[in-house]
Coordinates of all heavy atoms in Angstrom, one line a residue:
M1 N -6.8 21.7 20.9 CA -7.9 21.1 20.2 C -9.2 21.8 20.9 O -9.3 21.8 22.1 CB -8.1 19.6 20.4 CG -7.4 18.9 19.3 SD -7.9 17.1 19.6 CE -6.7 16.4 18.5
D2 N -10.2 22.0 20.1 CA -11.3 22.7 20.7 C -12.4 21.5 20.8 O -12.1 20.3 20.5 CB -11.9 23.7 19.7 CG -12.4 23.1 18.3 OD1 -12.2 21.9 18.0 OD2 -12.9 24.0 17.6
L3 N -13.6 21.9 21.3 CA -14.6 20.9 21.7 C -15.0 20.1 20.5 O -15.2 18.8 20.6 CB -15.7 21.6 22.4 CG -16.9 20.7 22.8 CD1 -16.3 19.5 23.9 CD2 -18.0 21.5 23.4
F4 N -15.1 20.8 19.4 CA -15.7 20.1 18.2 C -14.6 19.0 17.7 O -15.1 17.9 17.3 CB -15.8 21.1 17.1 CG -16.3 20.6 15.8 CD1 -17.6 20.1 15.6 CD2 -15.4 20.4 14.7 CE1 -18.1 19.6 14.4 CE2 -15.8 19.9 13.5 CZ -17.2 19.4 13.4
Q5 N -13.4 19.3 17.9 CA -12.3 18.3 17.4 C -12.4 17.1 18.4 O -12.3 15.9 18.0 CB -10.9 18.9 17.3 CG -10.9 19.8 16.2 CD -9.6 20.6 16.2 OE1 -9.1 20.9 17.3 NE2 -9.0 20.8 15.2
H6 N -12.5 17.4 19.7 CA -12.6 16.2 20.7 C -13.8 15.4 20.4 O -13.7 14.2 20.5 CB -12.6 16.9 22.1 CG -11.4 17.3 22.5 ND1 -10.3 16.4 22.8 CD2 -10.9 18.5 22.9 CE1 -9.2 17.2 23.4 NE2 -9.6 18.4 23.3
L7 N -14.9 16.0 20.2 CA -16.2 15.2 19.9 C -16.0 14.4 18.5 O -16.4 13.3 18.6 CB -17.4 16.2 19.8 CG -17.8 16.8 21.1 CD1 -18.9 17.8 20.9 CD2 -18.2 15.8 22.1
G8 N -15.3 15.0 17.5 CA -15.1 14.2 16.3 C -14.2 13.0 16.6 O -14.6 11.9 16.1
W9 N -13.1 13.1 17.4 CA -12.3 11.9 17.7 C -13.1 11.0 18.5 O -13.0 9.8 18.3 CB -11.1 12.4 18.4 CG -10.1 13.0 17.5 CD1 -9.7 14.3 17.4 CD2 -9.3 12.4 16.3 NE1 -8.8 14.5 16.4 CE2 -8.6 13.3 15.7 CE3 -9.3 11.1 15.8 CZ2 -7.8 13.1 14.7 CZ3 -8.6 10.8 14.8 CH2 -7.8 11.8 14.2
Y10 N -13.9 11.4 19.4 CA -14.7 10.5 20.2 C -15.7 9.7 19.4 O -15.8 8.5 19.5 CB -15.4 11.3 21.3 CG -16.3 10.5 22.2 CD1 -15.7 9.5 23.2 CD2 -17.7 10.4 22.1 CE1 -16.5 8.7 24.0 CE2 -18.4 9.7 23.0 CZ -17.8 8.9 23.8 OH -18.6 8.1 24.8
Y11 N -16.4 10.5 18.4 CA -17.3 9.8 17.6 C -16.6 8.8 16.6 O -17.0 7.6 16.6 CB -18.0 10.9 16.6 CG -18.7 10.2 15.5 CD1 -20.0 9.7 15.7 CD2 -18.3 10.1 14.3 CE1 -20.9 9.1 14.8 CE2 -19.0 9.4 13.2 CZ -20.3 8.9 13.6 OH -21.1 8.3 12.6
V12 N -15.4 9.1 16.0 CA -14.6 8.1 15.2 C -14.3 6.9 16.0 O -14.4 5.8 15.6 CB -13.5 8.8 14.6 CG1 -12.5 7.9 14.0 CG2 -13.9 9.9 13.7
L13 N -13.8 7.1 17.2 CA -13.5 5.9 18.1 C -14.7 5.1 18.5 O -14.7 3.9 18.2 CB -12.9 6.4 19.4 CG -12.5 5.4 20.5 CD1 -11.4 4.4 19.9 CD2 -12.1 6.0 21.8
M14 N -15.8 5.7 18.8 CA -17.0 4.9 19.2 C -17.5 4.2 18.1 O -18.0 3.0 18.1 CB -17.9 5.8 19.9 CG -17.5 6.4 21.2 SD -16.8 5.1 22.3 CE -18.3 4.1 22.8
I15 N -17.7 4.8 16.8 CA -18.2 4.2 15.7 C -17.4 3.0 15.2 O -18.0 2.1 14.7 CB -18.6 5.2 14.6 CG1 -19.6 4.6 13.5 CG2 -17.3 5.7 13.8 CD1 -21.0 4.4 14.0
N16 N -16.2 3.1 15.3 CA -15.3 2.0 15.0 C -15.3 0.9 15.9 O -15.3 -0.3 15.4 CB -13.8 2.6 14.7 CG -13.6 3.2 13.3 OD1 -13.6 2.5 12.4 ND2 -13.6 4.5 13.4
I17 N -15.4 1.1 17.1 CA -15.7 0.0 18.1 C -17.0 -0.6 17.8 O -17.1 -1.9 17.8 CB -15.6 0.6 19.6 CG1 -14.2 1.0 20.0 CG2 -16.1 -0.4 20.6 CD1 -14.1 1.7 21.2
L18 N -18.0 0.1 17.6 CA -19.3 -0.4 17.2 C -19.3 -1.3 15.9 O -19.7 -2.4 16.0 CB -20.3 0.7 17.0 CG -21.8 0.2 16.6 CD1 -22.4 -0.7 17.7 CD2 -22.6 1.4 16.3
A19 N -18.6 -0.8 14.9 CA -18.5 -1.5 13.7 C -17.8 -2.9 13.9 O -18.2 -4.0 13.4 CB -17.8 -0.7 12.6
F20 N -16.7 -2.8 14.6 CA -15.9 -4.0 14.9 C -16.8 -5.0 15.6 O -16.8 -6.2 15.3 CB -14.7 -3.7 15.8 CG -13.8 -4.9 16.1 CD1 -12.9 -5.3 15.1 CD2 -13.9 -5.4 17.3 CE1 -12.2 -6.4 15.5 CE2 -13.1 -6.5 17.6 CZ -12.1 -7.0 16.7
S21 N -17.5 -4.6 16.6 CA -18.4 -5.4 17.5 C -19.5 -6.0 16.7 O -19.8 -7.2 16.8 CB -18.9 -4.6 18.6 OG -18.0 -4.1 19.4
V22 N -20.1 -5.2 15.7 CA -21.2 -5.8 14.9 C -20.7 -6.8 14.0 O -21.4 -7.7 13.7 CB -21.9 -4.6 14.3 CG1 -22.9 -5.1 13.2 CG2 -22.6 -3.7 15.3
Y23 N -19.6 -6.6 13.4 CA -19.0 -7.6 12.4 C -18.8 -8.9 13.3 O -19.1 -10.1 12.7 CB -17.7 -7.1 11.8 CG -17.9 -6.4 10.6 CD1 -18.5 -5.1 10.5 CD2 -17.6 -6.9 9.2 CE1 -18.6 -4.4 9.4 CE2 -17.9 -6.2 8.1 CZ -18.4 -4.9 8.2 OH -18.6 -4.3 7.0
G24 N -18.3 -8.7 14.5 CA -18.1 -10.0 15.3 C -19.4 -10.6 15.7 O -19.5 -11.9 15.6
A25 N -20.4 -9.9 16.0 CA -21.7 -10.4 16.4 C -22.4 -11.1 15.2 O -22.9 -12.2 15.3 CB -22.6 -9.3 17.0
D26 N -22.2 -10.5 14.0 CA -22.8 -11.1 12.8 C -22.1 -12.4 12.5 O -22.7 -13.5 12.0 CB -22.7 -10.2 11.6 CG -23.6 -10.7 10.4 OD1 -24.8 -11.1 10.6 OD2 -23.1 -10.7 9.3
K27 N -20.8 -12.5 12.7 CA -20.1 -13.8 12.4 C -20.6 -14.8 13.4 O -20.8 -16.0 13.1 CB -18.6 -13.6 12.7 CG -17.8 -14.8 12.4 CD -17.9 -15.4 11.1 CE -16.9 -16.6 10.8 NZ -16.8 -16.9 9.5
G28 N -20.7 -14.4 14.7 CA -21.3 -15.4 15.6 C -22.8 -15.9 15.3 O -23.0 -17.1 15.3
K29 N -23.6 -15.0 14.8 CA -24.8 -15.4 14.3 C -24.8 -16.3 13.2 O -25.6 -17.2 13.0 CB -25.7 -14.1 13.9 CG -26.1 -13.3 15.2 CD -26.7 -12.0 14.7 CE -27.0 -11.1 15.9 NZ -28.4 -11.3 16.4
A30 N -23.8 -16.0 12.2 CA -23.7 -16.9 11.1 C -23.4 -18.3 11.5 O -23.8 -19.3 10.9 CB -22.7 -16.4 10.1
R31 N -22.4 -18.5 12.4 CA -22.0 -19.8 12.9 C -23.1 -20.6 13.5 O -23.2 -21.7 13.4 CB -20.9 -19.7 13.9 CG -19.6 -19.3 13.3 CD -18.6 -19.3 14.3 NE -17.2 -19.0 13.7 CZ -16.2 -18.5 14.3 NH1 -16.3 -18.3 15.7 NH2 -15.1 -18.3 13.7
R32 N -24.0 -19.8 14.2 CA -25.2 -20.5 14.9 C -26.5 -20.5 14.1 O -27.6 -20.9 14.5 CB -25.4 -19.8 16.3 CG -24.3 -19.9 17.2 CD -24.7 -19.2 18.6 NE -25.0 -17.9 18.5 CZ -24.3 -16.8 18.5 NH1 -23.0 -16.9 18.5 NH2 -24.8 -15.6 18.5
N33 N -26.4 -20.1 12.8 CA -27.6 -20.1 12.0 C -28.8 -19.3 12.5 O -29.9 -19.7 12.4 CB -28.1 -21.4 11.5 CG -27.1 -22.2 10.7 OD1 -26.5 -21.6 9.8 ND2 -26.9 -23.5 10.9
H34 N -28.4 -18.1 13.1 CA -29.4 -17.3 13.7 C -29.6 -16.1 12.7 O -29.0 -16.0 11.7 CB -28.9 -16.6 15.0 CG -29.0 -17.7 16.1 ND1 -28.2 -17.6 17.2 CD2 -29.7 -18.8 16.3 CE1 -28.5 -18.6 18.1 NE2 -29.4 -19.3 17.5
W35 N -30.7 -15.3 13.1 CA -31.1 -14.1 12.3 C -29.7 -13.2 12.2 O -29.1 -13.0 13.2 CB -32.1 -13.3 13.1 CG -32.4 -12.0 12.4 CD1 -33.3 -11.8 11.4 CD2 -31.9 -10.7 12.8 NE1 -33.3 -10.4 11.1 CE2 -32.5 -9.8 12.1 CE3 -31.1 -10.3 13.9 CZ2 -32.1 -8.4 12.1 CZ3 -30.7 -9.0 13.9 CH2 -31.3 -8.1 13.1
R36 N -29.5 -12.7 11.0 CA -28.3 -12.1 10.6 C -28.4 -10.5 10.5 O -29.6 -10.1 10.4 CB -27.8 -12.6 9.3 CG -27.6 -14.0 9.3 CD -26.2 -14.4 9.8 NE -25.1 -13.8 9.4 CZ -24.5 -14.1 8.3 NH1 -24.9 -15.2 7.5 NH2 -23.5 -13.4 7.9
I37 N -27.4 -9.9 10.7 CA -27.3 -8.4 10.5 C -27.2 -8.1 9.0 O -26.4 -8.8 8.3 CB -26.1 -7.8 11.3 CG1 -26.4 -8.0 12.8 CG2 -26.0 -6.3 10.9 CD1 -25.2 -7.9 13.7
S38 N -28.0 -7.2 8.4 CA -28.0 -7.1 6.9 C -26.6 -6.5 6.4 O -26.0 -5.7 7.2 CB -29.1 -6.1 6.5 OG -28.8 -4.8 6.9
E39 N -26.3 -6.9 5.2 CA -25.1 -6.3 4.6 C -25.2 -4.8 4.5 O -24.3 -4.1 4.6 CB -24.9 -6.9 3.3 CG -24.5 -8.4 3.3 CD -24.2 -9.0 2.0 OE1 -24.4 -8.3 1.0 OE2 -23.6 -10.1 2.0
K40 N -26.4 -4.2 4.3 CA -26.6 -2.8 4.2 C -26.2 -2.2 5.5 O -25.7 -1.1 5.5 CB -28.1 -2.6 3.9 CG -28.5 -1.2 3.7 CD -30.0 -1.1 3.4 CE -30.5 0.3 3.2 NZ -31.9 0.3 2.9
T41 N -26.5 -2.7 6.6 CA -26.2 -2.2 7.9 C -24.6 -2.3 8.1 O -24.1 -1.3 8.6 CB -26.8 -3.0 9.1 OG1 -28.3 -2.8 8.9 CG2 -26.4 -2.5 10.4
L42 N -24.0 -3.5 7.7 CA -22.6 -3.6 7.9 C -21.9 -2.5 7.1 O -20.8 -1.9 7.5 CB -22.1 -5.0 7.5 CG -22.6 -6.1 8.4 CD1 -22.4 -7.5 7.8 CD2 -22.2 -6.0 9.8
I43 N -22.2 -2.4 5.8 CA -21.6 -1.4 4.9 C -22.0 0.0 5.5 O -21.1 1.0 5.4 CB -22.1 -1.6 3.5 CG1 -21.4 -2.9 2.9 CG2 -21.5 -0.4 2.6 CD1 -21.9 -3.3 1.6
G44 N -23.2 0.3 5.9 CA -23.5 1.5 6.5 C -22.7 2.1 7.6 O -22.4 3.2 7.7
L45 N -22.3 1.1 8.5 CA -21.5 1.4 9.6 C -20.1 1.9 9.1 O -19.6 2.9 9.6 CB -21.3 0.3 10.5 CG -22.5 0.0 11.4 CD1 -22.3 -1.5 12.0 CD2 -22.6 1.0 12.5
A46 N -19.6 1.4 8.1 CA -18.3 1.9 7.5 C -18.5 3.2 6.9 O -17.7 4.1 7.1 CB -17.9 0.8 6.4
V47 N -19.7 3.5 6.1 CA -19.8 4.7 5.4 C -20.0 5.8 6.5 O -19.5 6.9 6.2 CB -21.1 4.6 4.6 CG1 -21.5 6.0 4.2 CG2 -20.9 3.7 3.4
I48 N -20.6 5.6 7.6 CA -20.7 6.7 8.6 C -19.5 6.8 9.5 O -19.6 7.6 10.5 CB -22.0 6.5 9.5 CG1 -22.0 5.3 10.3 CG2 -23.3 6.6 8.6 CD1 -23.1 5.2 11.4
G49 N -18.4 6.2 9.1 CA -17.1 6.5 9.9 C -16.4 5.3 10.5 O -15.4 5.5 11.1
G50 N -17.0 4.2 10.4 CA -16.6 3.0 11.1 C -15.7 2.0 10.1 O -15.6 0.8 10.3
S51 N -15.1 2.6 9.1 CA -14.3 1.7 8.1 C -13.2 1.0 8.7 O -13.0 -0.1 8.3 CB -14.0 2.6 6.9 OG -13.2 3.7 7.3
I52 N -12.5 1.6 9.6 CA -11.4 1.0 10.1 C -11.8 -0.2 11.1 O -11.4 -1.4 10.9 CB -10.5 2.0 11.1 CG1 -9.8 3.0 10.2 CG2 -9.4 1.1 11.8 CD1 -9.2 4.1 10.9
G53 N -12.8 0.0 11.8 CA -13.5 -1.1 12.6 C -14.0 -2.2 11.8 O -14.0 -3.4 12.1
A54 N -14.7 -1.8 10.7 CA -15.3 -2.7 9.7 C -14.2 -3.6 9.1 O -14.3 -4.8 9.0 CB -16.2 -2.1 8.7
L55 N -13.1 -3.0 8.7 CA -12.0 -3.7 8.0 C -11.4 -4.6 9.0 O -11.1 -5.8 8.7 CB -11.1 -2.8 7.5 CG -10.0 -3.3 6.5 CD1 -10.7 -3.9 5.3 CD2 -9.0 -2.1 6.0
L56 N -11.0 -4.1 10.2 CA -10.5 -5.0 11.2 C -11.5 -6.1 11.5 O -11.0 -7.2 11.7 CB -10.2 -4.3 12.5 CG -9.0 -3.2 12.4 CD1 -8.9 -2.5 13.7 CD2 -7.7 -4.0 12.2
G57 N -12.7 -5.8 11.7 CA -13.7 -6.9 12.0 C -13.8 -8.0 10.9 O -13.9 -9.2 11.2
M58 N -13.7 -7.6 9.7 CA -13.6 -8.5 8.6 C -12.5 -9.5 8.7 O -12.8 -10.7 8.5 CB -13.6 -7.8 7.3 CG -14.8 -7.1 6.8 SD -14.5 -6.2 5.3 CE -13.7 -7.3 4.2
Y59 N -11.4 -9.0 9.0 CA -10.2 -10.0 9.0 C -9.9 -10.6 10.4 O -9.5 -11.8 10.4 CB -9.0 -9.2 8.5 CG -9.2 -8.9 7.0 CD1 -9.6 -7.7 6.6 CD2 -9.0 -10.0 6.1 CE1 -9.8 -7.5 5.2 CE2 -9.2 -9.7 4.8 CZ -9.6 -8.6 4.3 OH -9.9 -8.4 3.0
V60 N -10.2 -9.9 11.5 CA -10.1 -10.6 12.7 C -11.1 -11.7 12.9 O -10.8 -12.8 13.3 CB -10.3 -9.6 14.0 CG1 -10.5 -10.4 15.3 CG2 -9.2 -8.6 14.0
F61 N -12.4 -11.5 12.5 CA -13.4 -12.5 12.6 C -13.5 -13.4 11.3 O -14.4 -14.3 11.3 CB -14.7 -11.9 12.9 CG -14.7 -11.1 14.2 CD1 -15.0 -9.7 14.2 CD2 -14.5 -11.8 15.4 CE1 -14.9 -9.0 15.4 CE2 -14.5 -11.1 16.6 CZ -14.7 -9.7 16.6
R62 N -12.7 -13.1 10.2 CA -12.9 -13.7 9.0 C -14.3 -13.8 8.5 O -14.9 -14.8 8.1 CB -12.3 -15.2 9.1 CG -10.9 -15.2 9.3 CD -10.4 -16.7 9.3 NE -9.0 -16.7 10.1 CZ -8.5 -17.9 10.6 NH1 -9.3 -19.0 10.4 NH2 -7.5 -17.8 11.1
H63 N -14.8 -12.5 8.4 CA -16.2 -12.4 8.1 C -16.3 -11.5 6.8 O -15.8 -10.4 6.8 CB -16.9 -11.9 9.3 CG -18.4 -11.8 9.2 ND1 -19.1 -13.0 8.8 CD2 -19.5 -10.9 9.2 CE1 -20.5 -12.7 8.7 NE2 -20.6 -11.4 9.0
K64 N -17.1 -12.0 5.9 CA -17.4 -11.2 4.6 C -16.1 -11.1 3.7 O -16.1 -10.2 2.9 CB -18.0 -10.0 4.9 CG -19.3 -10.0 5.6 CD -20.4 -10.6 4.8 CE -21.8 -10.5 5.5 NZ -22.8 -11.3 4.8
T65 N -15.1 -11.9 3.9 CA -13.8 -11.7 3.2 C -13.9 -12.4 1.9 O -13.0 -12.4 1.1 CB -12.6 -12.3 4.0 OG1 -12.9 -13.7 4.3 CG2 -12.4 -11.5 5.3
Q66 N -15.0 -13.1 1.6 CA -15.2 -13.8 0.2 C -16.1 -12.9 -0.6 O -16.2 -13.2 -1.8 CB -15.8 -15.1 0.4 CG -14.9 -16.1 1.2 CD -13.5 -16.3 0.6 OE1 -13.4 -16.7 -0.7 NE2 -12.5 -16.2 1.3
K67 N -16.7 -11.8 -0.1 CA -17.6 -10.9 -0.9 C -16.8 -9.8 -1.4 O -16.3 -9.0 -0.7 CB -18.8 -10.6 0.0 CG -19.6 -11.8 0.4 CD -21.1 -11.4 0.7 CE -21.8 -12.6 0.9 NZ -23.2 -12.3 0.4
R68 N -16.9 -9.6 -2.7 CA -16.2 -8.5 -3.4 C -16.6 -7.1 -2.9 O -15.7 -6.2 -2.7 CB -16.3 -8.7 -4.9 CG -15.5 -7.6 -5.7 CD -15.4 -8.1 -7.1 NE -14.8 -7.0 -7.9 CZ -13.4 -7.0 -8.1 NH1 -12.7 -8.0 -7.5 NH2 -12.9 -6.1 -8.9
K69 N -17.9 -7.0 -2.7 CA -18.4 -5.7 -2.2 C -17.8 -5.2 -0.8 O -17.8 -4.1 -0.5 CB -19.9 -5.6 -2.2 CG -20.6 -6.3 -1.1 CD -22.1 -5.9 -1.2 CE -23.0 -7.1 -1.4 NZ -24.4 -6.8 -1.4
F70 N -17.4 -6.2 -0.1 CA -16.7 -6.0 1.2 C -15.2 -5.8 1.0 O -14.6 -4.9 1.6 CB -17.1 -7.0 2.3 CG -18.5 -6.9 2.7 CD1 -19.5 -7.5 2.1 CD2 -18.7 -6.1 3.9 CE1 -20.9 -7.3 2.7 CE2 -20.0 -6.0 4.4 CZ -21.1 -6.6 3.7
T71 N -14.6 -6.8 0.3 CA -13.1 -6.7 0.2 C -12.6 -5.6 -0.7 O -11.4 -5.1 -0.4 CB -12.6 -8.1 -0.4 OG1 -13.1 -8.3 -1.7 CG2 -12.9 -9.2 0.5
V72 N -13.4 -5.0 -1.5 CA -13.1 -3.9 -2.3 C -13.7 -2.7 -1.7 O -13.2 -1.6 -1.6 CB -13.4 -4.0 -3.8 CG1 -13.2 -2.8 -4.6 CG2 -12.6 -5.2 -4.4
G73 N -15.0 -2.8 -1.4 CA -15.8 -1.6 -1.0 C -15.4 -1.0 0.4 O -15.2 0.2 0.4
I74 N -15.1 -1.8 1.4 CA -14.7 -1.3 2.6 C -13.4 -0.5 2.6 O -13.2 0.6 3.1 CB -14.7 -2.3 3.8 CG1 -16.1 -3.0 3.9 CG2 -14.1 -1.8 5.1 CD1 -17.2 -2.0 4.4
P75 N -12.3 -1.0 1.9 CA -11.0 -0.4 1.7 C -11.2 0.9 0.9 O -10.5 2.0 1.3 CB -10.1 -1.3 1.0 CG -10.6 -2.7 1.4 CD -12.0 -2.5 1.5
C76 N -12.1 0.9 -0.1 CA -12.3 2.2 -0.9 C -13.0 3.3 0.0 O -12.6 4.4 0.0 CB -13.2 1.9 -2.0 SG -12.4 1.1 -3.3
I77 N -13.9 2.8 0.9 CA -14.5 3.8 1.8 C -13.5 4.3 2.8 O -13.4 5.5 3.0 CB -15.7 3.0 2.7 CG1 -16.9 2.8 1.7 CG2 -16.1 4.0 3.8 CD1 -17.9 1.8 2.3
L78 N -12.6 3.5 3.3 CA -11.5 3.9 4.2 C -10.6 4.9 3.5 O -10.3 6.0 4.1 CB -10.7 2.7 4.7 CG -9.5 3.0 5.5 CD1 -9.8 3.7 6.8 CD2 -8.8 1.7 5.9
V79 N -10.2 4.6 2.3 CA -9.3 5.6 1.6 C -10.1 7.0 1.4 O -9.5 8.1 1.5 CB -8.9 5.0 0.2 CG1 -8.3 6.0 -0.7 CG2 -7.9 3.8 0.5
L80 N -11.3 6.9 0.9 CA -12.1 8.1 0.8 C -12.2 8.9 2.0 O -12.0 10.1 2.2 CB -13.4 7.8 0.2 CG -14.4 9.0 -0.1 CD1 -13.8 9.9 -1.1 CD2 -15.8 8.4 -0.5
Q81 N -12.5 8.2 3.1 CA -12.6 8.9 4.5 C -11.2 9.4 4.9 O -11.2 10.5 5.5 CB -13.2 7.9 5.5 CG -14.6 7.6 5.3 CD -15.1 6.5 6.3 OE1 -14.3 5.9 6.9 NE2 -16.5 6.5 6.4
A82 N -10.2 8.8 4.7 CA -8.8 9.3 5.0 C -8.5 10.6 4.2 O -8.0 11.5 4.8 CB -7.8 8.2 4.7
A83 N -8.9 10.6 3.0 CA -8.7 11.7 2.1 C -9.4 12.9 2.6 O -8.9 14.1 2.7 CB -9.0 11.4 0.6
V84 N -10.6 12.7 3.0 CA -11.6 13.8 3.5 C -10.9 14.3 4.9 O -10.9 15.5 5.1 CB -13.0 13.3 3.7 CG1 -13.8 14.3 4.5 CG2 -13.5 13.1 2.2
G85 N -10.5 13.2 5.7 CA -10.0 13.6 7.0 C -8.7 14.6 6.8 O -8.5 15.4 7.6
L86 N -7.8 14.1 5.9 CA -6.6 14.8 5.7 C -7.0 16.3 5.1 O -6.2 17.2 5.5 CB -5.6 14.1 4.7 CG -5.0 12.9 5.3 CD1 -4.3 12.1 4.2 CD2 -4.0 13.2 6.4
F87 N -7.8 16.3 4.3 CA -8.3 17.6 3.8 C -8.7 18.6 4.8 O -8.3 19.8 5.0 CB -9.4 17.4 2.7 CG -9.9 18.8 2.2 CD1 -9.2 19.6 1.3 CD2 -11.1 19.3 2.8 CE1 -9.7 20.9 0.9 CE2 -11.6 20.5 2.4 CZ -10.9 21.3 1.3
L88 N -9.6 18.0 5.7 CA -10.2 18.8 6.9 C -9.1 19.2 7.8 O -9.1 20.3 8.3 CB -11.3 18.0 7.5 CG -12.6 17.8 6.8 CD1 -13.5 16.8 7.6 CD2 -13.3 19.1 6.4
F89 N -8.2 18.3 8.1 CA -7.0 18.6 9.0 C -6.2 19.7 8.5 O -5.8 20.5 9.3 CB -6.3 17.2 9.2 CG -5.1 17.4 10.2 CD1 -5.4 17.5 11.6 CD2 -3.9 17.6 9.8 CE1 -4.4 17.7 12.5 CE2 -2.9 17.8 10.7 CZ -3.1 17.8 12.1
F90 N -5.8 19.6 7.2 CA -4.9 20.6 6.7 C -5.5 21.9 6.1 O -4.8 22.9 6.1 CB -4.0 19.9 5.7 CG -3.1 19.0 6.1 CD1 -3.1 17.6 5.9 CD2 -1.9 19.4 6.9 CE1 -2.3 16.8 6.5 CE2 -0.9 18.6 7.4 CZ -1.1 17.3 7.2
Y91 N -6.7 21.8 5.7 CA -7.4 23.1 5.1 C -8.4 23.7 5.8 O -8.9 24.7 5.4 CB -7.8 22.7 3.7 CG -6.6 22.3 2.8 CD1 -6.3 21.0 2.5 CD2 -5.7 23.3 2.3 CE1 -5.2 20.6 1.7 CE2 -4.6 22.9 1.6 CZ -4.5 21.6 1.2 OH -3.3 21.3 0.4
I92 N -8.8 23.2 6.9 CA -9.9 23.8 7.6 C -9.4 24.0 9.1 O -8.7 23.4 9.7 CB -11.2 23.0 7.6 CG1 -11.7 23.0 6.2 CG2 -12.2 23.5 8.6 CD1 -13.0 22.3 5.9

């Protein structure tokens, strides 16, 4: 693996840890009736590579599991990212 690939894996790991943590933090804020993290931010984290962390955060923390844009949208983002990742792995 070259440096670019190592940095890519590091980025994916870190953004997924961040997404998972943010979903947990938002769930905690919801329970305490505090200022919340916007849905735009939560979905945005999935879009920029944190879809696995977002999906895990949704189900581990039972957060946003009643909202269709999350229960359908996050898995769709994950499938799209997996397809792009496989394409890049095999063809580039």
Side-chain angles (χ1 to χ4, degrees):
M1 272 191 188
D2 65 358
L3 179 61
F4 180 73
Q5 289 172 324
H6 283 291
L7 290 175
W9 285 112
Y10 181 71
Y11 172 79
V12 169
L13 176 66
M14 296 310 293
I15 196 68
N16 278 286
I17 290 170
L18 177 64
F20 181 81
S21 301
V22 170
Y23 274 73
D26 192 48
K27 178 62 175 194
K29 289 173 182 264
R31 286 182 176 161
R32 294 184 307 273
N33 290 324
H34 287 156
W35 173 84
R36 302 284 303 280
I37 297 165
S38 71
E39 289 184 351
K40 185 177 177 180
T41 299
L42 295 172
I43 292 171
L45 285 168
V47 168
I48 64 170
S51 57
I52 294 171
L55 194 60
L56 286 173
M58 283 174 54
Y59 290 101
V60 167
F61 300 115
R62 295 185 197 159
H63 190 51
K64 302 290 185 186
T65 57
Q66 300 297 311
K67 295 203 170 213
R68 188 169 174 86
K69 71 171 122 178
F70 285 87
T71 59
V72 173
I74 301 298
C76 287
I77 293 167
L78 175 58
V79 168
L80 181 61
Q81 289 174 344
V84 169
L86 287 171
F87 174 80
L88 292 174
F89 182 77
F90 286 109
Y91 294 105
I92 293 183

